[in-house]
């Protein structure tokens, strides 16, 4: 499969601060790729470099095989972007903002637009200044999802959405995936990535620290096993997945209940970040 | 908890945030007033030579409209004549900026909500903003008083000068406090407040250039009329501060009453639901730039159009300003020209002075459009637009070219209307054609200022606000440079110094071509810088 996004040794410095420190990221065509990391890890900086808004300080960044800085306009016809912190024009309505962004990208699917407005329960006639944070986010989501872009770059897209609307977003994400489109979804909300993403890259302090399918990543962490005995005795442990069988067979008789929980992404996250102390968060 | 709880804390916060703006403005304005006064005193040894040289200028109708009447004939009075009202306008703008910054801007950005959740009374932010604006006014006026005393001017007259500036500062504090309650956007508030300032200045200008007693009464309807009527170093009417104090108190009272009646974030005029779909005209960077600037532009255009008609009416009155026919004949004989020629040159000076002066305002209107680029970038909206297939240069060009068009159209509208109205009423007055040619000379000067703003914004959105400093310095150099006796190379660095006031002055094609070229080079340099840098 062709790589839609490829960065190699990507660096970006803002003065003395090094926001990206040799970031290697590959997103294949058709992947819904989770881009996970704590605040200030470099997620937004990476997206902005891929959008040609920032110029990289070093390394390689490729989008559809092109240079995101030099070929920005051509490449942007093929992608849609939802910024992390959506601000709208105070005196334009949400509907006008959706149409504007859609047309600048090269067209908008009117039927999809209407459908999405209904699903997200968004009133397009309100002025930008009177939308709440969640509603501003919806405006950006509708504008991006109503496009026919091959690639969606989503920067923490559910920030400010209520749980119901998060469900709607997850459904839409599945739909996009089923259409074979590519998504790079940056987030620090693990459950959101776990549901929709097939591949995950974890970024920390400007570097990718883990990357792979969820199954591969789970492999890296320990499974939690709890055994309950007839006499009420409880034994538990965390072992590597391949050692579960050995531990269980060593328990002896009297086991009435046995649970083995694969690690959640939450635990993966903690395992990765608890191992090294935080190096001063930047945002 | 009273409504004013926390005012002291907020006042200290606001003062800290304005710790550069207020002292720098106060010092700059003091340098302007005291510096130019000292230069004038040094230039003329006694009042008689000064009057002989300045007299004709002082009594010209155009001077009366611009700077107000001069009734004192002593050297001190003459030396502050130009800076009194112009400085008052700047003091008023400072008070406006302070009040707006700490009320509507804070509210629009949501920071007031953060504060409102703490132990802060509902009225505290407005009270703190008003207090700081009054403080800024007093500091600025006080520094000037000290400056005049320091260069040996009479104390009472110095105090009177400070009083005139205080009148302007107090008035604009009150006006801005009310304007901040009326609309739900900081831009809307700015429009109302600056519009009111322009209107009050115009009312005074009409009153001061009126030829009948009935017309002159108008000057008393404007606080700027009160400020000029203080007559520092002459009549020293310090008591004129009192009506300004009363007016400010009433306006601030109204502002607090309005505040009580509205919700946080809302204005008195609620925003209505709009269109669900965008009109075709909006769907491009140029369409968006126009849409964002349209409201402001229409306001400016109405203002410039009305001023054109008013000035046109005043141009046609130069004959009655010069007195009856006998005086006109006498003056014409002294000058060695026929009466008609005398009248037409007086009318041309008047019209050209107005065009030249309004060029600065047109440049400001253009700079506002360019600075949209910077505010779009800071708000993050540029990021959303440039993530689409709209290229950087197209985005930059949309705003800068609109800014150039806005500045030009405003000057053209003013000149055309002034010419049509003036020439219809007085055959000797310049025609619309003459004044449009004058406009063609003034427009490139405004374009240079727009170009500087474009270059600064192209380099960095953080540099963009310095465009105002550049515009202010260019205005001061062009307008006061010669009276302050500054070296000619410094004065000539202001584009406004190159507006030769056609049809009174001589037409200079090379001048126009050079200024236009400089403006375009600046805009293109800004575009190149904008292409190369990080955005957002």
């Amino acid at each position: 499969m062709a790589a839609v996004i490829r960065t190699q040794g990507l660096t970006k410095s803002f003065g003395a601060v090094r926001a990206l420190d040799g970031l290697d990221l590959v997103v294949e065509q058709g992947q819904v790729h989770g881009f996970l990391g704590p605040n200030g890890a470099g997620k937004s900086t990476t997206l902005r470099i891929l959008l040609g808004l920032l110029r990289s300080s070093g390394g390689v960044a490729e989008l559809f095989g092109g240079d995101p800085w030099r070929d920005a306009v051509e490449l942007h016809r093929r992608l849609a972007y939802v910024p992390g912190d959506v601000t709208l024009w105070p005196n334009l309505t949400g509907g006008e903002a959706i149409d504007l962004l859609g047309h600048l990208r090269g067209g908008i699917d009117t039927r999809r637009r209407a459908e999405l407005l209904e699903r997200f329960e968004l009133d397009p006639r309100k002025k930008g200044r009177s939308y709440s944070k969640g509603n501003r986010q919806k405006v950006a989501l509708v504008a991006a999802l109503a496009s026919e872009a091959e690639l969606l770059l989503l920067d923490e897209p559910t920030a400010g959405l209520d749980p119901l609307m998060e469900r709607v977003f997850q459904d839409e994400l599945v739909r996009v995936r089923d259409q074979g489109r590519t998504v790079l979804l940056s987030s620090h909300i693990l459950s959101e990535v776990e549901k929709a993403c097939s591949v995950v890259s974890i970024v920390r302090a400007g570097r990718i620290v883990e990357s792979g399918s969820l199954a591969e990543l789970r492999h890296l962490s320990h499974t939690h096993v709890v055994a309950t005995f007839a006499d009420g005795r409880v034994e538990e442990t965390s072992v590597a997945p391949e050692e579960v069988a050995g531990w269980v067979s060593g328990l002896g008789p009297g086991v009435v209940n046995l649970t083995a929980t694969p690690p959640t992404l939450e635990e993966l996250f903690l395992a990765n970040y608890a191992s090294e102390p935080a190096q001063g968060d930047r945002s | 908890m009273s409504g004013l709880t926390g005012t002291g804390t907020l006042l200290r916060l606001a003062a800290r945030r304005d710790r550069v703006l207020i002292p720098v403005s106060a010092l700059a304005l003091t340098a302007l007033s005291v510096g130019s006064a000292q230069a004038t005193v040094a230039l003329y040894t006694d009042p008689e030579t000064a009057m002989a040289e300045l007299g004709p200028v002082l009594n010209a109708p155009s001077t009366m409209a611009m700077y107000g009447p001069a009734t004192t004939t002593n050297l001190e009075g003459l030396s502050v004549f130009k800076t009194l009202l112009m400085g008052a306008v700047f003091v008023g703008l400072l008070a406006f900026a302070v009040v707006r910054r700490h009320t509507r801007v804070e509210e629009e950005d949501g920071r007031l909500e953060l504060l409102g959740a703490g132990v802060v009374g509902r009225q505290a932010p407005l009270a703190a903003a008003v207090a700081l604006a009054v403080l800024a006014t007093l500091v600025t006026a006080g520094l000037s008083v000290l400056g005049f005393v320091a260069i040996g001017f009479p104390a009472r007259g110095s105090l009177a000068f400070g009083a005139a500036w205080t009148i302007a500062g107090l008035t604009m504090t009150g006006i801005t406090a009310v304007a901040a309650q009326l609309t739900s956007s900081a831009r809307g508030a700015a429009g109302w407040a600056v519009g009111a300032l322009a209107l009050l200045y115009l009312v005074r200008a009409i009153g001061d250039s009126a030829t009948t007693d009935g017309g002159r009464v108008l000057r008393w309807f404007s606080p700027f009329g009160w400020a000029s009527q203080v007559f520092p170093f002459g009549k020293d009417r310090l008591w004129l501060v009192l009506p300004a104090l009363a007016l400010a108190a009433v306006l601030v009272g109204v502002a607090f009453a309005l505040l009580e009646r509205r919700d946080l974030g809302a204005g008195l005029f609620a925003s209505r639901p709009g269109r669900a779909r965008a009109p075709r005209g909006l769907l491009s960077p140029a369409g968006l730039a126009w849409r964002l600037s349209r409201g402001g532009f229409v306001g400016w255009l109405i203002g410039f159009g009305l001023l054109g008609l008013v000035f046109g009416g005043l141009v046609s009155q130069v004959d009655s300003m010069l007195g009856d026919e006998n005086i006109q004949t006498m003056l014409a004989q002294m000058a060695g020209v026929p009466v008609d020629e005398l009248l037409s040159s007086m009318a041309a000076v008047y019209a050209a002075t107005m065009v030249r002066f309004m060029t600065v305002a047109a440049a400001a209107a253009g700079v506002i459009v360019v600075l949209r680029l910077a505010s779009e970038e800071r708000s993050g909206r540029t990021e959303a637009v440039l993530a689409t297939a709209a290229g950087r240069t197209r985005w930059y060009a949309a705003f800068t070219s609109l800014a150039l068009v806005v500045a030009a159209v405003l000057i053209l509208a003013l000149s055309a209307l002034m010419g049509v109205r003036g020439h219809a009423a007085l055959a000797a007055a310049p025609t619309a054609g003459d004044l449009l040619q004058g406009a063609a000379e003034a427009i490139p000067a405004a374009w240079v200022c727009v170009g500087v703003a474009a270059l600064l914004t192209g380099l960095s959105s953080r540099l963009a606000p310095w465009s105002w400093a550049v515009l202010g310095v260019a205005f001061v150099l062009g307008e006061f440079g010669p009276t302050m006796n500054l070296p000619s190379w410094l004065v000539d660095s202001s584009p406004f110094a190159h507006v030769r006031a056609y049809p009174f002055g001589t037409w200079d094609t090379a001048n126009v071509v050079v200024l236009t070229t400089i403006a375009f080079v600046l805009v293109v340099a800004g575009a190149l810088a904008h292409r190369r840098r990080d955005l957002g």
Side-chain angles (χ1 to χ4, degrees):
Chain A
M1 266 193 287
V4 173
I5 294 172
R6 194 176 70 85
T7 76
Q8 204 165 32
L10 190 63
T11 60
K12 176 68 187 175
S13 303
F14 297 105
V17 181
R18 207 164 170 80
L20 295 185
D21 188 18
L23 184 112
D24 303 316
L25 176 70
V26 178
V27 178
E28 309 277 352
Q29 198 183 335
Q31 270 181 357
V32 176
H33 196 115
F35 194 36
L36 268 177
N39 296 327
K43 302 189 296 292
S44 296
T45 304
T46 308
L47 290 181
R48 286 189 180 132
I49 289 176
L50 291 173
L51 284 167
L53 294 167
L54 302 181
R55 199 200 271 268
S56 66
S57 311
V60 180
E62 275 179 16
L63 199 63
F64 297 113
D67 178 345
W69 177 268
R70 211 189 51 227
D71 312 325
V73 172
E74 275 315 303
L75 295 173
H76 291 179
R77 292 189 206 284
R78 304 169 67 180
L79 64 84
Y81 168 59
V82 174
D85 190 6
V86 180
T87 45
L88 297 174
W89 295 274
N91 50 351
L92 258 61
T93 63
E96 286 177 322
I98 291 170
D99 285 345
L100 173 67
L101 293 172
H103 274 86
L104 290 176
R105 184 177 296 123
I108 191 162
D109 180 341
T110 315
R111 242 195 33 238
R112 277 287 285 151
R113 179 188 186 275
E115 189 187 334
L116 286 162
L117 283 177
E118 197 169 316
R119 291 214 63 194
F120 280 109
E121 295 169 20
L122 181 70
D123 178 1
R125 302 187 335 124
K126 277 178 131 186
K127 295 274 170 69
R129 70 166 66 91
S130 45
Y131 281 120
S132 67
K133 179 172 165 53
N135 281 330
R136 290 200 303 268
Q137 199 73 35
K138 289 183 197 171
V139 168
L141 280 171
V142 170
L145 292 170
S147 73
E148 278 146 19
E150 298 162 55
L151 168 67
L152 296 178
L153 295 173
L154 310 176
D155 193 358
E156 309 205 348
T158 59
L161 293 188
D162 63 43
L164 271 176
M165 288 302 136
E166 246 185 88
R167 279 279 294 279
V168 175
F169 169 73
Q170 292 289 349
D171 293 348
E172 290 299 329
L173 203 55
V174 168
R175 182 181 174 141
V176 165
R177 185 186 65 193
D178 293 347
Q179 290 168 337
R181 290 148 86 180
T182 313
V183 179
L184 179 61
L185 172 70
S186 113
S187 180
H188 62 262
I189 303 163
L190 308 162
S191 56
E192 153 178 314
V193 173
E194 207 165 18
K195 272 180 225 154
C197 297
S198 48
V199 184
V200 170
S201 291
I202 298 177
V203 59
R204 175 171 168 77
R207 281 169 172 279
I208 300 287
V209 288
E210 298 288 356
S211 190
S213 70
L214 278 179
E216 283 166 2
L217 286 188
R218 289 215 170 93
H219 206 75
L220 292 170
S221 191
H222 289 189
T223 300
H224 193 67
V225 195
V226 183
T228 314
F229 291 82
D231 54 7
R233 195 159 46 89
V234 175
E235 273 194 40
E236 54 184 310
T237 186
S238 281
V239 292
E242 59 272 19
E243 291 161 17
V244 172
W247 186 78
V248 170
S249 61
L251 282 174
V255 177
V256 291
N257 195 1
L258 190 65
T259 53
T261 325
T264 62
L265 216 42
E266 207 87 49
E267 286 163 324
L268 264 180
F269 217 51
L270 282 173
N272 272 299
Y273 298 141
S275 54
E276 346 163 14
Q279 306 171 350
D281 273 328
R282 322 181 258 264
S283 55
Chain B
M1 183 171 101
S2 105
L4 288 170
T5 306
T7 303
T9 316
L10 288 188
L11 179 58
R12 280 195 299 278
L13 173 68
R16 186 176 156 71
R17 290 185 52 211
D18 285 349
R19 65 189 185 278
V20 176
L21 174 76
I22 293 173
V24 167
S25 307
L27 283 173
L29 287 172
T30 304
L32 174 67
S33 60
V34 179
S36 75
Q38 200 170 21
T40 312
V41 173
L43 209 58
Y44 305 106
T45 41
D46 58 280
E48 286 73 31
T49 36
M51 261 326 267
E53 216 168 295
L54 297 174
V57 180
L58 292 181
N59 293 321
S62 53
T63 315
M64 296 275 267
M66 227 61 274
Y67 302 108
T71 59
T72 52
T73 50
N74 59 33
L75 216 44
E76 287 88 354
L78 290 174
S79 76
V80 299
F81 163 71
K82 257 191 152 184
T83 51
L84 180 71
L85 270 187
M86 287 297 127
V89 168
F90 279 114
V91 174
L93 286 174
L94 173 64
F96 148 77
V98 169
V99 173
R100 174 173 167 272
R101 237 163 95 76
H102 297 293
T103 53
R104 192 44 87 172
V105 173
E106 287 294 279
E107 197 166 331
E108 195 172 76
D109 292 352
R111 285 191 291 268
L112 214 52
E113 200 173 330
L114 199 66
L115 290 171
V119 188
V120 166
R122 186 172 162 70
Q123 290 149 359
L126 180 58
V130 166
L132 187 64
V134 171
L135 211 65
T137 301
L138 292 178
V139 165
T140 309
L143 265 182
S144 278
V145 173
L146 292 178
F148 283 122
V149 172
I151 62 171
F153 279 24
R156 193 179 156 80
S158 306
L159 267 180
F161 185 93
W165 277 14
T166 308
I167 289 171
L170 288 176
T171 304
M172 279 309 286
T173 302
I175 287 175
T176 315
V178 172
Q181 313 307 320
L182 290 180
T183 61
S184 56
S185 75
R187 264 172 196 276
W192 282 93
V194 175
L197 184 147
L199 185 71
L200 292 176
Y201 201 81
L202 182 64
V203 166
R204 183 211 53 79
I206 296 173
D208 279 341
S209 26
T211 48
T212 60
D213 283 342
R216 282 197 201 105
V217 169
L218 262 184
R219 60 166 64 129
W220 293 103
F221 283 88
S222 163
F224 290 103
W226 310 342
S228 79
Q229 293 295 319
V230 169
F231 290 138
F233 307 107
K235 292 181 181 162
D236 290 337
R237 292 182 184 135
L238 286 161
W239 57 267
L240 275 168
V241 173
L242 296 176
L245 202 58
L247 176 66
V250 168
L251 287 171
V252 169
V254 169
F256 276 114
L258 292 174
L259 179 68
E260 272 310 300
R261 267 155 238 263
R262 67 178 185 85
D263 293 333
L264 186 69
L268 205 62
F269 309 135
S271 63
R272 298 178 303 274
R275 290 181 234 244
R277 298 302 307 255
R280 279 225 72 73
L282 175 64
L283 302 174
S284 65
L288 178 63
W290 167 240
R291 172 67 179 275
L292 295 176
S293 311
R294 188 178 62 189
F297 173 71
V298 169
W300 283 97
L301 190 62
I302 291 173
F304 270 65
L306 287 177
L307 282 174
L309 293 175
V310 168
F311 292 153
L314 294 173
V315 166
S316 66
Q317 288 172 17
V318 284
D319 56 344
S320 47
M321 290 180 206
L322 287 179
D324 62 24
E325 274 179 38
N326 293 330
I327 300 179
Q328 287 178 18
T329 316
M330 194 186 77
L331 283 171
Q333 278 168 352
M334 280 168 63
V337 293
V339 173
D340 264 5
E341 209 167 290
L342 175 78
L343 282 183
S344 79
S345 77
M346 291 296 286
V349 173
Y350 187 96
T353 309
M354 293 308 158
V355 170
R356 203 175 104 114
F357 191 72
M358 292 306 289
T359 301
V360 183
V367 167
I368 287 175
V369 175
V370 172
L371 292 195
R372 276 269 181 196
L373 263 181
S375 64
E376 288 293 293
E377 183 177 342
R378 276 194 299 268
S379 72
R381 292 188 288 261
T382 296
E383 191 178 307
V385 169
L386 292 185
T388 71
R392 284 179 185 228
T393 306
R394 214 175 133 209
W395 177 242
Y396 173 91
F399 286 87
T400 47
S401 53
L402 180 63
L404 296 174
V405 170
V406 161
V409 167
L410 291 179
I411 298 173
L412 290 173
L414 175 93
S415 308
L417 287 172
M418 194 184 343
V420 168
R421 169 109 199 260
H423 191 70
L426 178 73
T431 63
D434 292 334
L435 288 182
L436 283 175
Q437 195 176 349
E441 186 192 46
I443 288 168
W447 279 353
V448 170
C449 296
V450 171
V452 170
L455 176 59
L456 289 172
T457 310
L459 287 169
S460 156
S461 66
R462 263 178 306 185
L463 286 177
W466 287 97
S467 311
W468 292 121
V470 172
L471 183 63
V473 169
F475 167 69
V476 167
L477 286 179
E479 200 67 17
F480 300 102
T483 35
M484 287 175 81
N485 217 6
L486 294 173
S488 61
W489 61 264
L490 189 60
V491 176
D492 286 345
S493 67
S494 164
F496 300 119
H498 299 277
V499 181
R500 307 243 190 268
Y502 188 84
F504 175 68
T506 48
W507 176 258
D508 184 352
T509 308
N511 187 33
V512 172
V513 171
V514 168
L515 283 183
T516 308
T517 309
I518 291 174
F520 278 92
V521 167
L522 288 167
V523 172
V524 171
L528 294 176
H530 189 256
R531 278 172 70 94
R532 299 179 52 81
R533 72 176 170 91
D534 288 350
L535 286 176

